[in-house]
Amino acid sequence: MRCAEVDRRALRARWGAQGNCSRGLASDVPSGPHASARCSEGSHLSQRLESRQPQGQMGNSKSHPGQEFSSRFLPGEQAEVNRLFDALSSENLGSSTSHRSFSLQALKGHVGDALPPEMVTRLFEGMQRVDGSRKAKGPSEHISQKQFTVSMSHLLKGTAEEKSLMILNMISASGGPVKARDVYKFTEDLIGSVVHVLNYRQQLRGWSQKPPPGSPSRVQVLAAQLCSEMKLQGGGKLLGPQWLDCDCDEAVLEDWVFRAHHVATFLSLVIHQGFLLLCSTLELATLVPERQVDPQREFASLLDILSVIYINSHLPQERRLRWRLLFATELHGNSFAQLCGHITHRGPCLVLLKDCDGHVFGGFASCSWEAKPQFQGDSRCFLFSVSPSMAVYTCTGYNDHYMYLNQGRQTIPNGLGMGGQHGYFGLWIDVDFGKGHSKAKPMCTTYGSPQLSAQEDFQFQKLEVWAVGDAPKAEPARKTRSILDVDPEARALLKVSGRGCHSEGLREVPDEH
């Protein structure tokens, strides 16, 4: 297919040579016998190039500002984008409608305290640089309607490539590669803005905006996790301080935005909630689950809003709307029997604990817990870490030892486990409550996870279990075995004494599973 043969650098060079041409970009779209094969790539590149052209050299001078990108939005959405621009530019009316614009001061005035000032400035400078001049400009510069429309189009409906260009604009005025440390700082600012705007708009849905006292900053932890998804030039990953001075060009950022989907999601959330633009298109309910806890028994969770958002994004889609507290040591005591009584037959849930060294980790059980001597669950299960690092570890396919819960057996382990094997679980909570282990050297066979706890054999301070999604329908009463079914001597004594089993023939002996 000819799309793969398009040389982007050549197109850019050709565009630079025609920079003073007054024609629209339509003349540069491929034509002829290969037009259909090259149309998609050509259109995409032309939009990208157009977004970086100096104002006044873009398209037909008689066209409505931003009209080239209006097709990105539905008519009602485009009308909302136009209304926001009108509100922002109302204090700077020029002699011609086509020259209307707004300043950084106007944008900050509209946003108010909904976003941190540094993020508003980043967004403004990103829109400023859409014209392609790539020159550092002062805050007195203005944003045209075309720049605004193109920016909103890229940020809300753009491809990974277009979003990465906007991120580059928000980081640097030079247009060249940026340092990995600059990308990390941008990521911190973005994540911090998410927490800020959700709190300001009262959209935390019951969760705390801050981690428990003594915990590391979840903004920094999540920023490190997202940046760890970045593949630098040469294929390396951002793993430690030595990588912070590496260069990140447009290709690296585009690949990163594609891999770390939270980046695009957080950018959209900041625009939707910060600018109050197209809020109806934001599926906030699936991003931030509703926290359901008995109001008479409130407690401080180990989770904050960022860790909830991160874990929730890895759950099955239908399980992301609400989390219901099933068990917490703070409320229900330190008892394995109490744990089993509160979590069995309650649907998919998250088990979360904090060890005595401050590590917070757990696992997602995709099916209802049942106390039985066999492994249970399926490949949707995973293990995760919240602190000191955030990560999710999904199934490797090596075995099916997803979930295990047993109590009251003498010949096999009693406790709750996920992954690995008996005696070597990726996560294990012992029946001797308060103790556990995470034996994964070099990694858990089921989930590919490392040791989650600070010590291989650990003691934990707190444990929580959250059911996710809607509560399961009431299950029919389970058949229980009579004492006579498990004790043949009792049956014999009844017969010797002349007392028969009156229920014999009226019930079926349950099968042993």
Side-chain angles (χ1 to χ4, degrees), residues 394-399 401 419-421 424 426 439-449:
T394 55
C395 297
T396 64
Y398 182 84
N399 58 39
H401 297 174
Q421 56 185 317
Y424 295 91
K439 297 182 179 180
K441 293 184 177 179
M443 62 181 59
C444 171
T445 55
T446 309
Y447 297 107
S449 56

Side-chain angles (χ1 to χ4, degrees), residues 52-330:
R52 304 179 71 168
Q53 278 303 104
Q55 185 180 350
Q57 298 179 8
M58 299 172 64
N60 189 333
S61 60
K62 296 182 181 180
S63 63
H64 188 276
Q67 132 177 347
E68 293 86 346
F69 287 80
S70 296
S71 60
R72 292 291 186 89
F73 299 107
L74 297 173
E77 294 173 339
Q78 184 61 50
E80 189 174 337
V81 172
N82 292 340
R83 283 195 296 270
L84 177 55
F85 177 81
D86 291 342
L88 290 169
S89 61
S90 59
E91 65 177 41
N92 189 48
L93 293 175
S95 58
S96 171
T97 302
S98 62
H99 292 99
R100 293 173 63 190
S101 60
F102 65 85
S103 65
L104 175 60
Q105 182 179 1
L107 184 61
K108 285 186 174 180
H110 175 81
V111 173
D113 295 328
L115 291 174
E118 57 269 21
M119 179 52 64
V120 179
T121 301
R122 279 191 185 274
L123 289 166
F124 184 86
E125 292 176 347
M127 289 185 275
Q128 251 185 345
R129 295 161 187 159
V130 160
D131 64 7
S133 63
R134 292 293 189 178
K135 295 179 180 178
K137 300 178 180 180
S140 62
E141 297 293 335
H142 289 69
I143 303 298
S144 70
Q145 184 163 6
K146 179 166 291 188
Q147 289 174 312
F148 182 69
T149 304
V150 171
S151 299
M152 295 302 100
S153 170
H154 286 356
L155 288 171
L156 298 180
K157 292 181 176 284
T159 63
E161 184 177 19
E162 290 163 341
K163 292 181 191 296
S164 65
L165 280 173
M166 287 301 301
I167 291 173
L168 191 59
N169 287 341
M170 294 167 69
I171 294 176
S172 170
S174 67
V178 295
K179 297 297 182 182
R181 67 175 67 256
D182 298 323
V183 180
Y184 177 79
K185 181 61 173 66
F186 164 81
T187 308
E188 276 192 327
D189 289 348
L190 178 62
I191 295 171
S193 298
V194 167
V195 177
H196 183 104
V197 74
L198 288 176
N199 181 57
Y200 183 82
R201 300 296 186 198
Q202 298 182 346
Q203 296 288 353
L204 295 175
R205 308 193 76 192
W207 300 100
S208 172
Q209 69 178 106
K210 297 180 179 179
S215 301
S217 166
R218 297 277 166 86
V219 170
Q220 295 176 344
V221 171
L222 184 52
Q225 195 285 325
L226 295 184
C227 287
S228 72
E229 296 293 321
M230 186 182 301
K231 284 191 174 181
L232 304 178
Q233 294 174 345
K237 282 196 171 185
L238 191 63
L239 298 176
Q242 70 273 20
W243 294 99
L244 293 177
D245 290 323
C246 293
D247 289 335
C248 301
D249 59 14
E250 291 180 19
V252 169
L253 290 178
E254 179 183 349
D255 179 75
W256 177 56
V257 172
F258 180 79
R259 289 175 178 275
H261 63 90
H262 285 93
V263 176
T265 299
F266 289 165
L267 279 171
S268 295
L269 188 148
V270 165
I271 297 298
H272 286 306
Q273 294 292 311
F275 291 5
L276 290 181
L277 178 64
L278 303 179
C279 292
S280 60
T281 64
L282 175 65
E283 295 183 358
L284 190 60
T286 60
L287 183 67
V288 183
E290 178 187 358
R291 180 181 187 263
Q292 295 184 343
V293 177
D294 184 349
Q296 304 300 320
R297 308 191 72 181
E298 274 293 336
F299 81 110
S301 173
L302 294 170
L303 298 168
D304 68 324
I305 186 65
L306 287 178
S307 53
V308 168
I309 289 174
Y310 178 70
I311 296 170
N312 198 56
S313 68
H314 291 85
L315 297 178
Q317 189 74 29
E318 70 276 9
R319 297 289 171 186
R320 299 181 184 179
L321 294 178
R322 58 191 57 86
W323 291 14
R324 297 170 289 111
L325 182 69
L326 296 182
F327 177 86
T329 50
E330 187 175 328

